[in-house]
Amino acid sequence: MNLKQLSEMLGLSQTTISRALNGFPEVSAQTRSRVLKAVRETGYRPNRAAQRLATGRAGSLGLVMPIAAGVDSDVHFGEFLAGLGEEAIKHDFHFVINPSAPEDEAGMVRRLAASGNVDALYIAYVRRDDPRIPLLHTLNIPFMVHGRAVDQSVHDYPFLDIDNTGAFHDATRLLIQLGHRRIGLINGPAHFAFAIRREKGMKKALVENGLPFDETLVHHGQMTDSFGHQVMERLLDGPNPPTAILCSSTVLALGAVRALDRRGLKLGRDMSLIAHDDELPMLKPENFSVPLTTTRSSLRAAGARIAERMISRVLQNGDPAEQELWRTELIVRDSTGPAPRGH
Amino acid sequence: MNLKQLSEMLGLSQTTISRALNGFPEVSAQTRSRVLKAVRETGYRPNRAAQRLATGRAGSLGLVMPIAAGVDSDVHFGEFLAGLGEEAIKHDFHFVINPSAPEDEAGMVRRLAASGNVDALYIAYVRRDDPRIPLLHTLNIPFMVHGRAVDQSVHDYPFLDIDNTGAFHDATRLLIQLGHRRIGLINGPAHFAFAIRREKGMKKALVENGLPFDETLVHHGQMTDSFGHQVMERLLDGPNPPTAILCSSTVLALGAVRALDRRGLKLGRDMSLIAHDDELPMLKPENFSVPLTTTRSSLRAAGARIAERMISRVLQNGDPAEQELWRTELIVRDSTGPAPRGH
């Protein structure tokens, strides 16, 4: 049963049927109930294209996914998408994901917005000064930014971010209170706003406590187990290793802890460590051999909230530039302890 | 510049312009070159909806993503999607992902196929006897199955699967050659075809070597670090622990290895372990404190190949029921060794 057949059966135009199904007020209650009865009896499912013609909506949220041969997939993406999906399903929204060469991301955002395939757009992995944000402002389509830029001429855009500066400030302050003076940072790629803010938070706590900021203890790179391991090895081989480490992900911590294990160094005694925890289900900080102290914020909850706000804008034209900043929680477990003596 | 404006500028109908852009033979070479010149000069990007009307194609691949509150996201999904994306981008295809309640997956597949939003459909996490496969046969849309059913009335469907039986047969045989007699298995959920075949491969090798199959050493569950840890603890606490373990994922191995570490048991000496490795970039088997012996097959390569086959069917109506079975590689590292004496 397609729309044409249903239209012939009921003696109603296809437009009237679509409008009846999509709750338009021009359709009388009597006609609507006739249409709904026929839909139930025939098992007809409205074609999305027809629905789109009637409502002007695609029922979909758009994402651009940068990808290239040799570029690693992102372990955080699935978790975020699960959150988006959990919310989207409540409103019968789907996703349109455009893969894109990394250097063509802005162009792909522009084309996705122009495609008519999506009602709203989402961007993430925001950079210091991100050209996609002013671009989105010109595209005449609702959007949400996960994160926010650091230096940007445009300020009035809708975002959800976590307080990265606050998270790493609080974590660093705890380490200082425990007597640590040399603190390392294994961070994400240096051009991302979240990484810039985490370094800033760490610096702030050091300065507040009259401690020097040692650039040689700060390393930026891909948030993989391998990179965490490599940096920890390098720090331990240095002339004056830190006594504590901040990691921008539990994935980085996995590699860092392995480097400690290999040398027989005990976490929480010989080296303290605090990791940022996105609550990835496959890598729980409480399951590490020494449970990890973390700054915690659910990536999945962020996904659900972002979907909720985009859908609400599409359906109701809600507040266009609401800005949300989520505080993280500092959860103390066994990977942090007093600085070893002699340091 | 939209299609209407371009049409007015050139004095050509919108349909003629769309057809020129999409390579239809009815359009003369002269007209086509006029259109292409105008497109280049004006920076016009064809609207997808217009393109779809002209070509009858959406330029998109459909996936249904089962999701529910409280159901963990799948760490393998992002990696598979990266492979799909890498290939899709070459042909300017995008993805439509419909989130779905787990119990409504078949219904969602049906609705996605009927939506007109996708040119082809993909399904994964195939079950023993999977109702989605006969359903897809009735839907009149190209599809690909990642994996294959075990008991299914329908056989002539296009799939790409890895040889799960062969992989775990080979792994078990290696352990037997090393003198192991009691071998455990930490597997994925029991209703999935891949898990059924991996257990079958293990059984086959045991039977071929006259060894008993002990059901108490086989455990099925979510492929998380937590589950791997929990099962390994239980096996070690049992009256007659195995001397070797097969894990269906490096994620399970992560938890299993942690349980060994806690008890001071050395991998490759006190316990041998072989894990299946999907080549997740964040969890490399060679980076474990004792590098893991694995059965290896790239999930990302599978994604790329599945996208390639779907797109080729959409564009050229290629072979509808090609069936591919990829052999896995058995890579020996340090986590396997001779069975401890006295066993």
Side-chain angles (χ1 to χ4, degrees), chain B residues 245-286:
Chain B
I245 285 284
L246 297 167
C247 289
S248 260
S249 162
T250 47
V251 182
L252 288 167
L254 195 64
V257 168
R258 200 156 31 82
L260 295 174
D261 283 349
R262 271 200 195 159
R263 299 183 186 218
L265 296 173
K266 183 145 173 66
L267 205 57
R269 187 191 65 194
D270 305 314
M271 177 74 73
S272 285
L273 186 149
I274 303 180
H276 183 70
D277 173 24
D278 290 305
E279 300 194 28
L280 302 180
M282 68 136 288
L283 198 60
K284 294 183 194 292
E286 61 268 35

Side-chain angles (χ1 to χ4, degrees), chain B residues 103-119:
Chain B
E103 65 282 6
D104 186 35
E105 216 187 325
M108 191 56 90
V109 163
R110 189 193 296 275
R111 297 198 291 281
L112 182 57
S115 71
N117 280 340
V118 298
D119 301 313

